[in-house]
Amino acid sequence: MSEPLSSPTSPPETDDAPSNFVRDIIDEDLEKDTHDGRVVTRFPPEPNGYLHIGHAKSIVLNFGIAEDYAARGADTTCRLRFDDTNPTGESEAYARSIEDAVHWLGYEPDEVRHASDYFERFYEYAVTLVEKGLAYVDSQSEEEIRENRGTVTEPGRESPYRDRSVDENLDLLRRMKAGEFADGAHVLRAKIDMASEHMIMRDPLLYRIRHIEHYRRGDDWCIYPMYDFAHCLEDAIENVTHSLCTLEFANNRRIYDWILENALPEDQLPQRPHQYEFNRLNLTYTVLSKRKLRRLIEDGAVDGWDDPRLFTLAGLRRRGVPPSAIRQFCRAVGVTRSPGRVQISRFEHAVRDDLNAKAPRVMAVLDPLRVVVENFAEATGLDEDDADRLEADYWPRDITGREGTREVPFTRELFIERDDFREDPPEGFHRLAPGREVRLRHGFFLTCTGLEKDDAGNVTALRAEIDPETRSGHAPDGRNPDGTIHWVSATESLPCEARLYDRLFTHRAPDAGEEDFYEHLDPDALVTRPAARIEPSVPGTLADKPKRSDRTGGADRSSPRGGSALGAQRFQFERIGYFWPDPEDASTDRLVFNQIVPLRDSWAEEDTGLTAQELEKRRREKERERQKQRERAMAGQRDPVEDFGPEQRERFERFLKKHGLSRDDAAVLAERAALAEFFESALGHYDAPQPVANWTINELLRELDDDAPAASLAALPFGADAFARLVQLTDEDAVSAQAARKVFGEMLAGAETEPKQIVEKRNLRRLDDAAKLRRTADEVVAEHPDEAARYRDGETKLLGFFMGRIMERTRSTADAQKARAALRDVLG
RNA sequence: UGCCCGGUGGUGUAAUGGCAGCACAUCGGCCUUUGGAGCCGCUGGUGAAGGUUCGAAUCCUUCCCGGGCAGCCA
């Protein structure tokens, strides 16, 4: 009976730890031992607002990596670091709420740090850059700086102060720090390149003057570092190995790398932190940006940061969403580099999935309709105002390992859900209607024998009779009603208020269009049911008031808290949804329940997903869209020669006429002078234009740095002659195409650059011995009987699978033609 | 328009040159004292065109579409 609500051991959450590109990178670094087996991550919020579910994704990512890799033996650390470099708007209160939210989510940072503790060190790094001539004090006005930055298509102009001497810069910087200048009088800038095509590199600002009190450092400083300067250094100071941030910082990686490469001592560079960007979490039917959330709150569209309609962590917490569900959701959505919008139904699924096994079932009626059981006394043998106390299970039978029951009073007058009765039931309606019989959950079968209406024609009460033989919920004659409905006693149930929350916006992407997202606000996102009734057992079974003390580390990680035997905070109101007492407004005299998430309701009109028809329509639209795009793509194709200069044109013509290349190939080579030169030089050693062109374009080109093709070509460990000999080797069938690519890989690595030598050393000569290939094919087929059967069954695409196995076994040396023939032979 | 990043069923995500898989949603069936849960099944996808390769979602080229960058914000 006192079965604890939480299982003693939490389920291993790492089981489904998804593979993602960040973990791939970490695996690789661990493999290469880049960081001596350390994996150091961090969650770096600025304490100027509240956290939302998007931050939860980042928290789960960073702390989850620390947990998972620690379990695998790595030396992991994950810190909470406040990125408090801009005192405007930052506060201790925000910092506390953020730390609290991290705890609530179930994580304990290895350490809590503050960027503001590093201000002295940042300054030292700034001095270093100035001394190296890589930073200068600029005294232009804010407007001048903006104007001189240029645009995405026009280069910027250098500041007239750009060439100040190191000594002058040092002096000015010192005086900025000393408070000799007013806000905006000077800034410190990196000296990089005002003409860079990367806007971020046009002499980015490093420090600005701000005579503002910092919530932790007081008046210690009047210059504050910019994000791009501070963040990478914070990571370096903390020995962060993998610095994870969202995609919009991808451009900033250039300056992140630049600062570290130029400010850090040489010996720290090999282990310096690297930034990786992942996709931020977006949800349908809601907004998540700090700015938009703030606006909703300040305008009174919602009731505060913890309004349960909001996807702030405070809101989700108040609504009753368990942290374990949020963690699971965050793991399930995945980490990639493609931005998208996750359907809210996935979130709801995660919450239901979590609560299904954890929330005991009770009954509540949100919109009560009175039912008078006219044969009560006669059927139960009790007095009219007595109660038949029915024993009801807290758990359905498919929830294993959970037991427990309570008594539910069954009286002459009941309440049922108004929705569960129709005077004129539509097709497929399984519930109560005049003359119909339904099962009352945990009790009798009940038949509606009549109804009462008010002057307006609204049904005000029902008359009904129960079958005395069905107290157990079963009929001796085996009949089984279509529907089962929930109910409470009219006289013994308790009044309560229920708050139902729905998505805040009616549009799947409220902030995506031109229009203001306010236009999509759903006024019905909060529906209050003030006259709800709940079975009397509930208040006594509630765990301690949830309040803000819901520190159950994600509920399932620590032992259940005291309180009643059941110790539950969250319930399923049968057939409605999951609920818990509102932490602010519920009290012992006032029952107020928040709906955490409704139950899935396959009877209700589904407005979340798309119907089959809509799906079909979408498909047709997509096909049309594709057709259109095909046309657009074709129309956009232009003659590459159009933009060519005279030299390129000349090369193009030569490749076309003299070497007989295709227009595409000729254009690719002609466009790139260095590559063209290499190509023609290779041709001098092996005069087979098309094969050499293929190799140049498809294999060589990708190894070149786009920004400096000539330099990377010159830096190649081999010349055009060796390259030509490689092409010749494969062209003359001495090695298979795949083996040739292996050889090329080794040439790039540089230890041995003569193709023939590599072929000999690695034993990569083409294998075309028919008997040998036949034996290999036999073995491969014998090893995969299932696939062989499927192939013989007509799944001929599996030939590729078998080819793969042969190539694997022969280290890519097999002659493809002959191997294929052998396979066909064996497979019949 | 310069640069960077991204496009895989309706949605989110796997497949690291070798069988396009998983989850959610949808639809159908089974089961059910919750129209819940569970179980089984169906439908449906690599933005386009060329190229390389025995073999391409993956490599190359071009195009199309979407996002980001011109704060003394982060």
Side-chain angles (χ1 to χ4, degrees):
Chain A
M1 189 60 204
S2 60
E3 176 72 20
L5 241 204
S6 311
S7 37
T9 53
S10 60
E13 291 183 344
T14 50
D15 263 12
D16 54 339
S19 109
N20 60 49
F21 81 98
V22 175
R23 284 166 187 265
D24 289 346
I25 290 165
I26 295 174
D27 289 343
E28 203 174 309
D29 282 333
L30 248 20
E31 176 77 17
K32 291 189 305 199
D33 207 25
T34 317
H35 301 282
D36 300 331
R38 288 176 303 112
V39 178
V40 183
T41 52
R42 96 270 97 108
F43 173 62
E46 185 188 12
N48 69 345
Y50 294 93
L51 263 28
H52 55 67
I53 194 163
H55 297 109
K57 174 173 175 175
S58 175
I59 293 169
V60 169
L61 210 215
N62 281 292
F63 284 94
I65 282 170
E67 283 185 355
D68 295 350
Y69 281 90
R72 289 165 43 177
D75 175 13
T76 72
T77 304
C78 184
R79 299 190 182 87
L80 169 61
R81 179 179 75 224
F82 290 105
D83 202 6
D84 50 359
T85 55
N86 180 2
T88 315
E90 294 173 358
S91 76
E92 185 62 39
Y94 283 125
R96 263 205 304 274
S97 104
I98 288 169
E99 199 170 341
D100 196 37
V102 171
H103 281 133
W104 175 73
L105 260 186
Y107 296 104
E108 186 60 49
D110 290 305
E111 225 177 332
V112 177
R113 300 258 194 124
H114 295 80
S116 52
D117 286 336
Y118 308 149
F119 281 168
E120 285 75 10
R121 301 179 66 174
F122 295 154
Y123 183 80
E124 288 308 310
Y125 284 119
V127 168
T128 303
L129 287 180
V130 171
E131 284 171 343
K132 284 181 166 180
L134 293 172
Y136 63 98
V137 173
D138 193 357
S139 308
Q140 296 180 100
S141 71
E142 201 171 332
E143 295 72 46
E144 286 171 321
I145 288 177
R146 189 169 40 246
E147 276 165 28
N148 288 336
R149 185 144 35 216
T151 69
V152 290
T153 48
E154 304 157 34
R157 281 179 299 276
E158 296 188 350
S159 164
Y161 305 98
R162 199 170 193 264
D163 293 316
R164 289 215 251 233
S165 71
V166 168
D167 286 342
E168 188 183 0
N169 282 321
L170 247 19
D171 179 58
L172 250 14
L173 178 59
R174 184 186 53 72
R175 290 165 60 199
M176 281 167 65
K177 174 174 179 274
E180 290 186 23
F181 306 115
D183 287 9
H186 309 279
V187 292
L188 184 73
R189 299 180 76 173
K191 193 190 233 178
I192 306 179
D193 178 8
M194 285 309 292
S196 173
E197 55 204 3
H198 308 287
M199 295 298 296
I200 199 91
M201 301 301 268
R202 319 246 257 230
D203 289 9
L205 272 62
L206 269 24
Y207 269 100
R208 75 289 221 190
I209 300 172
R210 278 248 211 289
H211 291 272
I212 301 181
E213 190 176 314
H214 188 280
Y215 77 100
R216 294 186 75 246
R217 302 300 306 269
D219 293 324
D220 288 359
W221 291 82
C222 63
I223 57 173
Y224 291 96
M226 302 288 292
Y227 168 87
D228 283 319
F229 179 63
H231 201 92
C232 53
L233 291 171
E234 293 161 26
D235 287 339
I237 288 167
E238 296 177 356
N239 293 313
V240 168
T241 56
H242 300 84
S243 177
L244 311 177
C245 63
T246 47
L247 288 173
E248 66 270 25
F249 289 96
N251 288 315
N252 302 58
R253 192 176 59 236
R254 265 172 211 282
I255 185 65
Y256 185 103
D257 291 339
W258 188 93
I259 297 279
L260 290 187
E261 293 290 337
N262 290 291
L264 251 34
E266 193 87 16
D267 62 332
Q268 287 183 23
L269 292 181
Q271 298 209 342
R272 76 167 173 87
H274 287 270
Q275 172 182 306
Y276 304 97
E277 311 88 28
F278 64 91
N279 58 342
R280 153 197 296 285
L281 173 64
N282 293 308
L283 282 175
T284 56
Y285 299 101
T286 191
V287 294
L288 286 182
S289 89
K290 231 180 236 182
R291 219 194 87 250
K292 296 193 179 92
L293 289 170
R294 190 187 304 278
R295 201 180 135 197
L296 287 167
I297 291 151
E298 285 173 358
D299 295 355
V302 296
D303 294 331
W305 284 102
D306 66 346
D307 188 300
R309 288 167 289 184
L310 258 23
F311 276 79
T312 53
L313 294 183
L316 293 169
R317 180 176 180 176
R318 179 164 177 189
R319 189 159 120 192
V321 176
S324 51
I326 296 176
R327 290 197 301 269
Q328 177 51 36
F329 171 71
C330 289
R331 270 190 303 273
V333 293
V335 176
T336 68
R337 292 181 60 83
S338 32
R341 205 174 271 266
V342 174
Q343 290 177 335
I344 199 81
S345 56
R346 285 182 69 89
F347 174 78
E348 292 168 353
H349 169 81
V351 178
R352 289 191 194 109
D353 197 46
D354 186 280
L355 257 15
N356 179 41
K358 287 201 274 195
R361 273 60 168 174
V362 296
M363 292 196 287
V365 172
L366 268 30
D367 187 9
L369 174 62
R370 184 176 302 270
V371 177
V372 181
V373 181
E374 302 203 294
N375 66 340
F376 177 82
E378 156 195 354
T380 59
L382 298 168
D383 287 343
E384 296 269 293
D385 47 4
D386 232 348
D388 186 1
R389 304 201 178 267
L390 303 172
E391 189 176 42
D393 286 315
Y394 273 123
W395 308 96
R397 68 163 135 254
D398 52 284
I399 307 293
T400 53
R402 301 298 174 102
E403 282 173 13
T405 61
R406 80 287 185 189
E407 284 185 346
V408 185
F410 179 81
T411 52
R412 183 168 177 275
E413 291 198 9
L414 308 173
F415 288 127
I416 66 166
E417 206 69 63
R418 189 165 284 275
D419 266 359
D420 285 340
F421 174 79
R422 294 289 167 82
E423 187 177 0
D424 190 16
E427 182 88 13
F429 187 76
H430 289 173
R431 313 171 198 176
L432 199 60
R436 270 211 207 170
E437 184 178 60
V438 295
R439 176 188 288 116
L440 295 177
R441 177 73 168 148
H442 302 299
F444 296 94
F445 292 6
L446 174 135
T447 305
C448 174
T449 55
L451 51 84
E452 286 161 25
K453 290 183 177 178
D454 63 13
D455 297 341
N458 301 311
V459 177
T460 53
L462 301 180
R463 288 189 298 279
E465 291 188 357
I466 55 169
D467 177 350
E469 302 294 317
T470 55
R471 185 175 187 272
S472 66
H474 293 281
D477 63 8
R479 72 182 194 281
N480 205 15
D482 275 348
T484 298
I485 64 172
H486 60 275
W487 55 278
V488 294
S489 160
T491 43
E492 295 201 24
S493 64
L494 274 7
C496 68
E497 177 179 319
R499 297 172 179 172
L500 309 179
Y501 303 101
D502 203 348
R503 41 201 68 167
L504 226 201
F505 295 91
T506 53
H507 193 281
R508 65 168 267 124
D511 49 353
E514 295 292 302
E515 71 284 1
D516 189 51
F517 65 98
Y518 266 54
E519 288 176 28
H520 303 299
L521 263 178
D522 183 356
D524 296 327
L526 166 61
V527 173
T528 302
R529 293 290 166 79
R533 310 283 300 199
I534 189 161
E535 62 171 272
S537 70
V538 171
T541 57
L542 277 175
D544 294 353
K545 215 165 177 272
K547 244 344 190 189
R548 294 299 169 189
S549 58
D550 181 37
R551 268 293 180 93
T552 37
D556 54 355
R557 294 193 165 198
S558 56
S559 58
R561 303 149 44 75
S564 72
L566 195 61
Q569 294 177 338
R570 300 177 176 91
F571 294 90
Q572 184 192 109
F573 291 179
E574 291 210 54
R575 303 211 309 129
I576 304 173
Y578 295 95
F579 287 80
W580 91 329
D582 182 83
E584 295 297 325
D585 298 340
S587 67
T588 36
D589 350 304
R590 189 156 111 86
L591 292 171
V592 180
F593 290 94
N594 292 335
Q595 182 176 64
I596 303 165
V597 65
L599 246 36
R600 202 162 155 259
D601 183 356
S602 48
W603 169 249
E605 297 147 64
E606 191 54 66
D607 57 349
T608 47
L610 270 47
T611 66
Q613 274 179 1
E614 283 170 322
L615 225 82
E616 187 48 41
K617 201 172 128 199
R618 284 280 282 272
R619 252 194 286 288
R620 281 198 304 271
E621 269 170 21
K622 185 156 186 177
E623 190 39 52
R624 270 201 301 276
E625 183 51 40
R626 257 181 212 192
Q627 180 57 34
K628 253 165 61 189
Q629 195 181 328
R630 186 171 297 134
E631 283 158 17
R632 272 199 301 265
M634 295 307 280
Q637 300 280 349
R638 48 176 175 64
D639 191 345
V641 188
E642 265 174 42
D643 306 329
F644 278 3
E647 270 181 44
Q648 291 171 314
R649 239 171 244 273
E650 188 199 321
R651 281 198 294 267
F652 179 75
E653 291 301 324
R654 188 164 71 241
F655 294 159
L656 218 52
K657 302 254 162 61
K658 183 173 164 208
H659 301 314
L661 298 183
S662 71
R663 288 183 71 82
D664 279 354
D665 288 350
V668 172
L669 293 173
E671 189 184 344
R672 300 157 173 85
L675 197 65
E677 193 187 327
F678 190 93
F679 165 70
E680 296 204 278
S681 166
L683 234 39
H685 295 91
Y686 180 56
D687 188 23
Q690 196 59 58
V692 175
N694 286 345
W695 271 86
T696 309
I697 293 167
N698 292 306
E699 307 297 332
L700 183 61
L701 181 54
R702 102 174 75 142
E703 305 298 335
L704 270 32
D705 179 356
D706 291 342
D707 294 334
S712 45
L713 227 30
L716 246 29
F718 54 86
D721 54 333
F723 183 73
R725 286 194 289 276
L726 171 64
V727 177
Q728 183 169 10
L729 229 41
T730 160
D731 197 35
E732 290 174 349
D733 282 344
V735 293
S736 74
Q738 199 173 103
R741 280 193 290 271
K742 271 190 179 176
V743 174
F744 185 58
E746 296 226 6
M747 290 168 67
L748 284 168
E752 169 62 67
T753 56
E754 185 50 47
K756 272 204 176 101
Q757 295 297 324
I758 296 171
V759 170
E760 288 311 312
K761 206 155 77 191
R762 301 276 177 228
N763 200 13
L764 289 173
R765 277 180 316 278
R766 191 171 63 118
L767 172 64
D768 62 352
D769 179 330
K772 252 187 199 158
L773 286 173
R774 171 63 191 242
R775 275 201 302 282
T776 310
D778 275 330
E779 287 165 15
V780 162
V781 170
E783 273 171 26
H784 301 278
D786 292 350
E787 283 79 5
R790 276 161 58 204
Y791 178 88
R792 293 185 177 115
D793 223 38
E795 223 177 307
T796 50
K797 67 181 177 189
L798 283 175
L799 198 66
F801 167 78
F802 287 111
M803 280 294 286
R805 301 289 79 74
I806 287 187
M807 287 302 182
E808 205 169 67
R809 201 171 266 258
T810 60
R811 294 168 23 265
S812 308
T813 58
D815 179 287
Q817 243 70 273
K818 289 184 175 152
R820 184 175 281 264
L823 264 178
R824 284 232 172 79
D825 223 30
V826 173
L827 287 164

